[in-house]
Amino acid sequence: DLLSVNRSQPSMWKNGKEKLSVENQRKVSDLDHVMNRLLIELYPDQAVQWMQGSNPHLNFGRPIDALIVNGPSKVLDAIDALASGSYA
């Protein structure tokens, strides 16, 4: 969903058969940054659930959707709130 590409596309990028577009490079970089930050706070399985769950700091939207629509800023703020134990 995040990249809006065929499921086989990431394998082609990884194997060097195709290059990422500039837009998809940005999206992958944003996701990598968000996940690296989130994995400081949560175990991997919890991080996936957190990204797909409703979040009060994002007006009860899903962090993955907020990342797709608005970029990483608000999602990183929500992770900071999680880290500080803040509840909305």
Side-chain angles (χ1 to χ4, degrees):
D1 290 343
L2 178 66
L3 300 176
S4 300
V5 297
N6 187 299
R7 287 185 175 264
S8 66
Q9 197 69 45
S11 294
M12 296 176 87
W13 296 330
K14 184 178 177 183
N15 295 331
K17 293 181 180 177
E18 289 188 20
K19 294 186 85 171
L20 276 91
S21 68
V22 172
E23 179 183 353
N24 281 336
Q25 286 178 19
R26 181 189 54 77
K27 290 177 181 178
V28 168
S29 178
D30 287 348
L31 178 61
D32 185 59
H33 181 68
V34 165
M35 290 305 294
N36 282 331
R37 177 65 183 85
L38 187 56
L39 289 170
I40 293 170
E41 307 302 329
L42 300 173
Y43 292 108
D45 59 325
Q46 294 170 319
V48 170
Q49 290 176 354
W50 188 90
M51 288 294 289
Q52 296 174 346
S54 173
N55 189 290
H57 294 282
L58 298 169
N59 295 321
F60 295 94
R62 296 183 329 148
I64 190 66
D65 295 331
L67 179 62
I68 292 167
V69 173
N70 300 314
S73 180
K74 292 189 184 298
V75 178
L76 291 168
D77 290 345
I79 295 169
D80 289 341
L82 170 72
S84 70
S86 174
Y87 296 96

